[in-house]
Amino acid sequence: MISLQQVSKRYALREGDFEAVKSVTLDIAEREIHGIIGESGAGKSTLLRMMNVLEPPDEGKVMVNGADLTQMSEIQLREARRSIGMIFQQFNLLHNRTVSGNVATPLELAGIPKKERALRVAECLRFVGLLDKADQYPAQLSGGQKQRVAIARALANHPRVLLCDEPTSSLDPKTTVEILEVLRHINETLGVTIAIVTHEMDVVKRICHTVSVMENGSITDTFALQGRSRDS
Ligand code: ADP
Ligand code: ADP
């Protein structure tokens, strides 16, 4: 489903190039929840952002849904990204738009007609349990509710893949568990493949089927969690 083949990323710094991701190969199977764990600065976020070419790799291939994203034109890439949702630690909501407005944004960009858009917004908000907050603004919501809005927005275009960058790192332990259960529900009921970057082993243990450990730009270990592998 997601296949990174020898991807590398260098950042140009004043003192010379810094290689944040060093020739990483990683395969994530369809319907899998894959965790990428490691310390701050290990290159996890850069690796995740290469999965939708938000960060173009300097070398290597990025295959998602069978197509190589690094070979696409901007127009093709924009189309391909509709099937790849993404959520972030800081939620990245638009503060001047309502909850519905935030969820509607990717549908507007995709040119979905107004009637269909309203149906999809309602469907996604119902899925995350926030239909009653449709007309509120992000500032009126708790952290957990904001992340639910971000998840609803990421689901709006019915993606096959969901990329999560430290999705619970701004949340308290109880809210963390609630958000992880929403992600598990998305995986189990919608069949969405999920990649999660985190520095917390608890996150990985709770919902991941497989895990990669990242250190200094490389994956040093990949393993299945006992009883969680999709093949078992
Ligand atoms: P992690 O998500 O594991 O904390 P990142 O992928 O965010 O790691 O960063 C990996 C390394 O690359 C860090 O040393 C970071 O400082 C560096 N880095 C990340 N983004 C940039 C950038 N845009 N410019 C320069 N260096 C960057
Ligand atoms: P904003 O002020 O944030 O721009 P709008 O009222 O323009 O919000 O709504 C944005 C989008 O959300 C529109 O596409 C609309 O169809 C949809 N929408 C608005 N209210 C609801 C609702 N209660 N349920 C479902 N969809 C809604």
Side-chain angles (χ1 to χ4, degrees):
M1 174 55 73
I2 304 174
S3 178
L4 301 179
Q5 296 169 19
Q6 299 185 305
V7 294
S8 298
K9 182 72 196 180
R10 283 180 296 274
Y11 292 117
L13 303 178
R14 227 175 324 158
E15 58 272 26
D17 280 2
F18 173 78
E19 200 167 29
V21 173
K22 303 169 185 170
S23 192
V24 165
T25 294
L26 171 64
D27 286 293
I28 303 178
E30 191 167 359
R31 293 172 168 263
E32 191 165 284
I33 304 181
H34 186 84
I36 299 162
I37 192 163
E39 289 178 6
S40 176
K44 308 182 296 295
S45 183
T46 301
L47 190 72
L48 192 77
R49 291 156 62 88
M50 286 200 281
M51 292 182 191
N52 60 0
V53 195
L54 208 57
E55 200 73 80
D58 293 311
E59 277 131 40
K61 274 189 180 193
V62 178
M63 308 285 296
V64 180
N65 293 320
D68 185 352
L69 270 53
T70 59
Q71 296 300 312
M72 289 182 177
S73 67
E74 270 306 314
I75 292 167
Q76 290 172 315
L77 194 53
R78 213 177 302 150
E79 186 70 32
R81 280 192 185 124
R82 287 192 193 124
S83 60
I84 311 174
M86 190 164 189
I87 62 170
F88 306 88
Q89 175 173 358
Q90 295 304 336
F91 324 124
N92 296 9
L93 299 177
L94 299 169
H95 296 286
N96 58 352
R97 295 206 73 182
T98 61
V99 165
S100 327
N102 270 278
V103 179
T105 304
L107 298 170
E108 291 163 3
L109 293 173
I112 307 290
K114 196 167 175 175
K115 232 178 177 170
E116 166 78 8
R117 212 157 65 207
L119 288 173
R120 291 238 214 141
V121 168
E123 163 201 78
C124 293
L125 285 178
R126 194 176 302 113
F127 191 88
V128 300
L130 277 188
L131 198 51
D132 58 328
K133 306 284 184 203
D135 298 326
Q136 302 213 350
Y137 284 86
Q140 299 170 279
L141 306 178
S142 69
Q145 289 171 334
K146 284 180 197 164
Q147 193 58 294
R148 282 172 194 261
V149 176
I151 291 170
R153 179 179 58 184
L155 294 179
N157 277 316
H158 296 167
R160 302 308 306 142
V161 169
L162 181 61
L163 307 179
C164 311
D165 195 348
E166 300 276 6
T168 60
S169 298
S170 301
L171 307 174
D172 62 53
K174 178 168 167 283
T175 311
T176 290
V177 170
E178 287 170 13
I179 293 299
L180 293 177
E181 290 307 321
V182 172
L183 296 179
R184 190 210 304 275
H185 191 55
I186 288 168
N187 172 258
E188 287 178 355
T189 65
L190 306 177
V192 172
T193 303
I194 300 182
I196 304 182
V197 157
T198 181
H199 62 277
E200 297 166 297
M201 198 57 192
D202 285 351
V203 166
V204 157
K205 278 195 196 148
R206 182 166 283 271
I207 62 163
C208 293
H209 305 119
T210 54
V211 186
S212 291
V213 180
M214 213 169 169
E215 276 173 52
N216 290 323
S218 299
I219 289 178
T220 53
D221 197 13
T222 297
F223 56 92
L225 286 170
Q226 226 170 3
R228 283 214 178 276
S229 169
R230 296 214 63 97
D231 305 327
S232 68

